[in-house]
Structure formats: structure tokens, C-alpha cells
Amino acid sequence: MVNALPARTAATPEIARIARRPFTALRSFLRSTPWVSPSAILIALVIVVPVGIMVKSAFTDIDSSGVSHGFAGFANFARLFREAALAQVIINTFVWVVAVVGGSIIVALALAQFLNKKFIGRRFVRWSLIVPWAAALVMSSTVWRFILQGSNGLLNRLLMSLGIISEPIGWYQDPRFSFISVIVVGIIVTIPFTTYVILAGLQTVPEEVHEAAKVDGAGAWRTYWNITFPLLRPSLVIATILVIVSVFNSFPVIWVITGSNTGNSTDTTITWAYKIAFRQQLDTGEAAALSVLNIVFLCIVIALYFRVLENSGGGSGRFTDAMARLFAPVQRMFGERTRRTRRLADGPSAGLRFWYRVRPAAMPVFGALIALFFLAPYLVMLVSSFKSDADLFASPASFFPTIWEWHNWVDIWQKIALADYLRNSLVIAVVSTAIVLVVSVPAAYFSARFRFAGRSLFMRLVLVTQVIAPVAVVVGLYQEFVWVDGVNQYWSIILTNAAFNLAFSTWILSGQFESVPIDIEEAAKLDGLGPFRTMIRIALPLVRPGLVTALIFSFIQVWNEFPVSLTLFNNPTKGLQTLPVGIQQFVGLQQTEYQYLFVASLIAIVPVVALFASIERHLVGGLTAGALK
């Protein structure tokens, strides 16, 4: 992602000459300005400035109405450290990150290896993982909230039917179970992303290595733990860092499922900072202080990520070695077990011979079970969208409607301003995506093809925006847009979404432009084409798959965005809400109209899942390409 080109190239002496000649460096910088400055300016205004505002607010005395009363020193931090809930929230954050990251990686390792094999129905199984990934987390969290309900939840019905429990459990209401429940949901919704990152890493392992292992007589287990796993470790290290960032910044799962609970039994530092700023204390200074600590943690992760990337092309580096030692016991454990159970000279065991015979039929069956597991919540959503209130909250509850309420899909349009929410989301997603492409394409092309002063700084700036999620700086964003009268304005939410989606587009397109043979562009230059016309006429048609991937991925990210829209674009009296925010009005403290909530959620999910599935092949190849180069 950062080093889109190899660390050592023929241009390295030229870079050294530029460093020695200030005027040459200045000319190269000025030449790059039209190409990269729009991206840099957008990132600076929408991400860097809010971070600065947030840091300033952490040392400012701000009352509950938002009025500043001057420098406060470390008073906000002192007040934060006196909070009785702080210790629990920090422990929650640590447990949340470790459990969700560890659980999802363990499952994803096996799942990615399974999906890397060829079997009937593999594409369908991959698509089944696309659904929870492409669907907005707020939608997925909503259906899990329904499944985990107390007396009427599907999980309780199933466990009681099996005789495992004798009475319903309040999975997300009861503090004894609520945090465990959101961790399990967090693992489930994180597995698809983690699987695809590891799957992309598996596809970088040369097939010749596996063929050589087969020739030597090595079985599948020995091949994996002695050959594939060591070669996968660099990708696994990067996957671990990416998933840590994603999980740490996670907001909708905890907020939607347990956000209405009293206390802080499930809060992490991200959700608690939001509550301090906008829900409970209304203390911007204290929320900014906590957000600064969150940014410090993310900066540490970014530094580790830079270290991994810098060493990916050469030596392993101390951090990568440390991560390798972390995974080494797993490799040794399975490798030793494999050596004990099967010697190379003994040939395949009876169990392996049986597996070879049944594998053609067993693999599709296992795949179907995996697909059913990941699709089950959305099938629940579909069936429940046709239920009445009586069926939804009946006791004993039925899994299917007694009467199919087809009119729910018609009534929804009168229940809420669904057409307005769809229009708002569509306008914001289309315009934001257009800005992303217009700004990122030139920056990605110029960064891939030319060396210029400040290139490394620019690419690192792009990477930082990939790691820092909007929710981590939402306090600073809100303050910035209050000052410029941008709250509940289309332009503010559009620019915010565009800025935070530049990184992926720049990342994947830079790798795509690199893959275009330079000879083709040199021929175009000889015909009199300048850099811009060469990019438009020659390079862009050749990177169309990456362009489509960047377009669809950016559109989906904006379409599904929740926490920033909840804060910056949330005025229901004027119809200024996006779809993920607007449909949450069906969630009440006493009762939730799930049938209408599910209808609206399905209307939001189906189009983006179809779009996401259309780029699945390109996504696997491009997901870690930039990071691993």
C-alpha cells in the first residue's frame, strides 16, 4: 500500500540526485502538484484538521453547550482518569480486540484454506461470505439483536427446544452475557473480511511449491504446516494488523445491539467516547481526551504496519520475526502432530484414503453448511419481514409466519420516509464515489509511474487514512463542521466519505497502474501524448477491472456508513438522514417493529451485495496486493 513500487529500482539514483539538488526536488514537487494535491488537500481538510481540532479540544475547557472557556491543561485527561467506568472500558477494549481478532483469524485460516480448494459450489460459498461483509454492519447487527432477544429470540427458542436451557436468557440485556454475545457476533461478522485477506495471501504462494511437495510425497497437512504456513506468515502478519484496526474501530455491532443498555458493560473506548460526547456527559473535552488516546493507539499500529511493509521486500524485520514467533507454536504443534500420525514413508493412512474417496462429495456438503451458517441471519431477516407483530412476539414463538404479511413491503413506504432515505444515500454515495475516482486516479497513476519529492510522505498519508476510521475522529469532525456550518449539509457528509475512501482506491489503482507495461506508455509518448492523455487513453482502459473494483467498493462503503452520518447528517424533521440511520427509528426502548426494520434493511442490502459479488474475483486479487509489494 505504501511502497507501491519496489524499494530498489532503476530510479533510485535519480531520487538521490533529487535529494542533492534542491531545485530539481522543487521542480519534481511542483510537477506532481496537479496530480496529487487534490487528494492531499482533501485528506488534510477532512482528516488531519479534525485530528488537530480534537487534540486542541482535549486541552480546552468546553462546557456542555460547546462553548470554549480557554486552556484547561490536563484537566480533561484528569477527569477522564477519575471516571469509575474507565478501567472496565479499557479491559473491555482489550478483551474485545484480542477475542474478536484471535477468533476470526483462527476460523479464517481454516476457511481460507478450504475456499482456496476447487470444488463444486465454491463460488456460491464465497458469495455467502460476501453477504455479511457487503451488508452494512448496522443491518447485520440488527438481525443479530433480533436473534439474541430474551423471551422471543430465535437462539433461545432453539436452545430451549434442544433442552439445553430451561428458560430464556437475555443475551444482550443481561450484563452477565451481553459482552460475550457481542464478541461472538463481532467474530462472525469479522470472519468474511479476515478470510478474504488471508485468501488473497494464499494466492500469492507459488503453485510450484505445492507441486514439488506432492512430488516428494508430502500430504496435505505436512504441505500446509511445513510449506504453506511459513510462506503465508507475511500475509498473516499484515492481515492481523488490518483486522486489529478494523475491530478496534468497530462501532455498529456494540452500538446497535447493546447501545440502549444502561451502564458500560459492553463499551469499548470507541463507543464510550461517542457516549461521552453525544449521549451521556455531553463533555466534548473529555471525549476528545479519550479520542486522542484512541488515536495514539492507532498511531502505534500504523508504525508497526510501516515496519512490516518496509521489511516485506527484504529482511523480515524484528516485528515480523516477533509475529512469526507468535505463530510458531501453532505451526510446531500441528507439524509435530502430523509427523506422529503419519510418516512420509508409510504412505497415506486409512483415514486419508477414505477422505480422498469421499472428498468430491464431502467438500460441496461442507461448503453448503458454511454458506447456510453465514446466510442464516439474512434468511431470518427475510422470513421475519413477512410476519405480523403477533407472530414476531408470540409465545411460544414460531419460526415461520402463521399468515404471510406481504403488505409489509408496501406499508414500509408510508411508515417512514424511505424514499427520502434512499435518495439521500444514493446522492451521497454517487457523488462521494465520483470524487474518490476523480481525485484518486491521477494520484495513483502519478505515484505509480513517477518518483517525486514528497512521494513517500504522500503515500504514508494515504495509508494513515486507511487505518484511522471516521468514528475515531468523529468528535473533531463534528467540531470542525459546526464551525463552518456543515452539520446536516450534503457537502460535509460527501467530503467526509470521499476523504476516508481515497485510500483503498489509491492503493488498488496504484498497483493496477504498475502492472501496465511501461513500453506501451513509452510508445504513446513517442506519438506526442503527454502524461495526462497517456493516462486517459492508454493506462485507464488497461486497468478497467481495478477501476470497477474501486468504484463499487467505494460506493458500498459510503452506502453502508453509519456513525458519521448518525452525527453529521441526522435531522429527521427535514428528511436529512441516510438509510442506515433513518431505519433505526423502528428500534424503540420498549418495542421494535422488526418486520419493517427488516424490509428496509433488505432493500438496502440486496443491491450492494449484488454489486459486491460482481467484483469478488478482482477483490481477492487486489485486497493485499498493494500491501505486499
Side-chain angles (χ1 to χ4, degrees):
M1 187 186 306
V2 177
N3 298 320
L5 293 173
R8 295 183 180 274
T9 68
T12 302
E14 178 63 22
I15 295 176
R17 286 194 296 271
I18 289 174
R20 290 194 300 264
R21 293 186 297 174
F23 290 107
T24 304
L26 178 60
R27 283 196 298 268
S28 72
F29 175 77
L30 293 176
R31 185 185 178 194
S32 69
T33 300
W35 299 83
V36 302
S37 60
S39 295
I41 291 171
L42 187 57
I43 291 172
L45 291 178
V46 181
I47 301 176
V48 178
V49 170
V51 170
I53 293 173
M54 196 167 63
V55 172
K56 180 176 181 294
S57 298
F59 297 94
T60 304
D61 181 12
I62 305 174
D63 62 28
S64 58
S65 62
V67 178
S68 174
H69 297 282
F71 182 68
F74 288 94
N76 291 322
F77 290 92
R79 191 162 60 255
L80 173 66
F81 292 138
R82 287 196 301 267
E83 291 279 3
L86 179 62
Q88 181 182 12
V89 170
I90 291 176
I91 293 173
N92 285 352
T93 305
F94 177 80
V95 173
W96 165 259
V97 172
V98 171
V100 175
V101 172
S104 64
I105 286 180
I106 290 172
V107 176
L109 273 170
L111 193 53
Q113 184 69 16
F114 178 79
L115 293 177
N116 201 38
K117 305 294 183 182
K118 293 181 179 180
F119 60 90
I120 297 174
R122 182 178 69 165
R123 177 54 56 86
F124 175 74
V125 181
R126 285 188 175 187
W127 282 350
S128 71
L129 268 71
I130 287 290
V131 176
W133 186 9
L137 273 179
V138 64
M139 313 295 185
S140 300
S141 303
T142 297
V143 69
W144 277 106
R145 187 177 189 269
F146 174 70
I147 293 171
L148 295 172
Q149 275 197 114
S151 58
N152 300 291
L154 292 179
L155 180 59
N156 278 329
R157 299 180 217 171
L158 178 62
L159 295 179
M160 292 176 70
S161 299
L162 296 174
I164 298 176
I165 60 175
S166 58
E167 59 182 18
I169 296 175
W171 293 106
Y172 70 83
Q173 300 98 332
D174 191 331
R176 294 176 300 171
F177 304 103
S178 56
F179 194 43
I180 297 175
S181 298
V182 294
I183 285 175
V184 172
V185 174
I187 292 173
I188 292 172
V189 298
T190 305
I191 286 173
F193 170 74
T194 312
T195 300
Y196 268 85
V197 174
I198 296 176
L199 184 60
L202 281 173
Q203 296 190 354
T204 65
V205 178
E207 186 61 32
E208 295 81 3
V209 176
H210 293 149
E211 294 297 332
K214 290 180 181 179
V215 171
D216 292 340
W221 277 97
R222 291 192 67 179
T223 301
Y224 182 79
W225 290 110
N226 295 331
I227 297 175
T228 304
F229 191 80
L231 293 175
L232 183 63
R233 278 194 311 222
S235 299
L236 190 57
V237 171
I238 291 175
T240 302
I241 295 174
L242 290 176
V243 177
I244 287 174
V245 171
S246 175
V247 171
F248 179 79
N249 287 321
S250 183
F251 179 85
V253 173
I254 298 174
W255 188 263
V256 171
I257 297 177
T258 62
S260 60
N261 293 1
T262 57
N264 305 101
S265 60
T266 62
D267 277 325
T268 64
T269 55
I270 291 290
T271 59
W272 194 38
Y274 193 91
K275 285 184 177 180
I276 292 173
F278 304 109
R279 289 293 187 270
Q280 294 176 350
Q281 292 95 319
L282 300 180
D283 191 333
T284 304
E286 186 178 340
L290 181 55
S291 297
V292 167
L293 298 181
N294 290 333
I295 293 295
V296 169
F297 172 79
L298 290 173
C299 287
I300 294 172
V301 176
I302 292 169
L304 296 176
Y305 199 9
F306 283 146
R307 180 64 61 88
V308 172
L309 294 177
E310 287 168 354
N311 292 300
S312 61
S316 58
R318 284 180 294 179
F319 178 73
T320 308
D321 287 342
M323 293 294 290
R325 288 194 295 272
L326 180 65
F327 289 114
V330 180
Q331 181 185 354
R332 287 197 299 269
M333 179 180 68
F334 283 95
E336 188 62 33
R337 180 180 177 183
T338 303
R339 285 190 291 272
R340 288 199 307 267
T341 57
R342 175 179 177 267
R343 297 295 179 183
L344 184 61
D346 295 337
S349 65
L352 282 176
R353 289 195 299 269
F354 174 76
W355 168 246
Y356 292 151
R357 288 196 298 269
V358 301
R359 175 179 169 174
M363 293 281 281
V365 172
F366 290 150
L369 293 176
I370 292 170
L372 179 62
F373 176 81
F374 284 102
L375 293 177
Y378 306 95
L379 295 176
V380 169
M381 184 182 289
L382 177 62
V383 172
S384 299
S385 70
F386 296 102
K387 287 185 176 182
S388 63
D389 283 336
D391 278 337
L392 283 169
F393 302 104
S395 182
S398 60
F399 288 94
F400 293 97
T402 53
I403 299 177
W404 291 77
E405 303 286 350
W406 303 96
H407 61 84
N408 288 345
W409 285 74
V410 177
D411 295 345
I412 183 69
W413 300 92
Q414 284 75 46
K415 286 280 184 177
I416 58 173
L418 185 60
D420 291 339
Y421 304 153
L422 284 169
R423 185 186 64 250
N424 291 339
S425 290
L426 187 62
V427 169
I428 292 169
V430 168
V431 178
S432 298
T433 302
I435 293 174
V436 167
L437 292 182
V438 169
V439 171
S440 66
V441 168
Y445 176 77
F446 199 82
S447 299
R449 282 292 183 242
F450 300 95
R451 302 302 194 274
F452 56 91
R455 177 184 178 277
S456 178
L457 177 62
F458 170 73
M459 295 305 290
R460 287 174 182 270
L461 185 63
V462 169
L463 176 61
V464 168
T465 67
Q466 178 73 13
V467 176
I468 297 179
V471 68
V473 297
V474 70
V475 174
L477 279 169
Y478 181 78
Q479 289 179 298
E480 179 184 25
F481 287 120
V482 164
W483 292 344
V484 297
D485 195 25
V487 177
N488 296 321
Q489 301 289 336
Y490 279 99
W491 64 266
S492 62
I493 192 68
I494 286 171
L495 290 180
T496 300
N497 280 304
F500 279 98
N501 282 281
L502 274 175
F504 179 82
S505 182
T506 304
W507 168 14
I508 194 170
L509 288 174
S510 180
Q512 291 281 317
F513 283 127
E514 267 191 344
S515 65
V516 177
I518 192 66
D519 297 342
I520 298 177
E521 296 187 17
E522 292 294 338
K525 292 177 183 178
L526 291 175
D527 291 337
L529 293 182
F532 183 77
R533 287 197 295 170
T534 300
M535 179 189 73
I536 297 296
R537 295 186 182 183
I538 306 299
L540 275 182
L542 296 176
V543 300
R544 187 174 300 168
L547 196 63
V548 172
T549 300
L551 186 152
I552 293 178
F553 191 85
S554 298
F555 179 90
I556 291 172
Q557 291 294 100
V558 179
W559 180 271
N560 289 338
E561 197 281 320
F562 177 69
V564 174
S565 296
L566 181 67
T567 309
L568 297 182
F569 195 78
N570 189 7
N571 188 344
T573 59
K574 295 184 178 180
L576 297 177
Q577 289 180 313
T578 60
L579 188 59
V581 175
I583 65 176
Q584 287 302 301
Q585 63 187 275
F586 286 123
V587 179
L589 292 176
Q590 302 300 323
Q591 182 174 338
T592 299
E593 296 180 279
Y594 279 109
Q595 68 272 47
Y596 298 115
L597 182 59
F598 290 155
V599 170
S601 297
L602 288 168
I603 291 173
I605 288 173
V606 171
V608 296
V609 168
L611 288 172
F612 213 93
S614 69
I615 63 170
E616 186 262 344
R617 287 184 179 180
H618 303 304
L619 195 62
V620 173
L623 193 57
T624 59
L628 295 176
K629 286 191 176 183

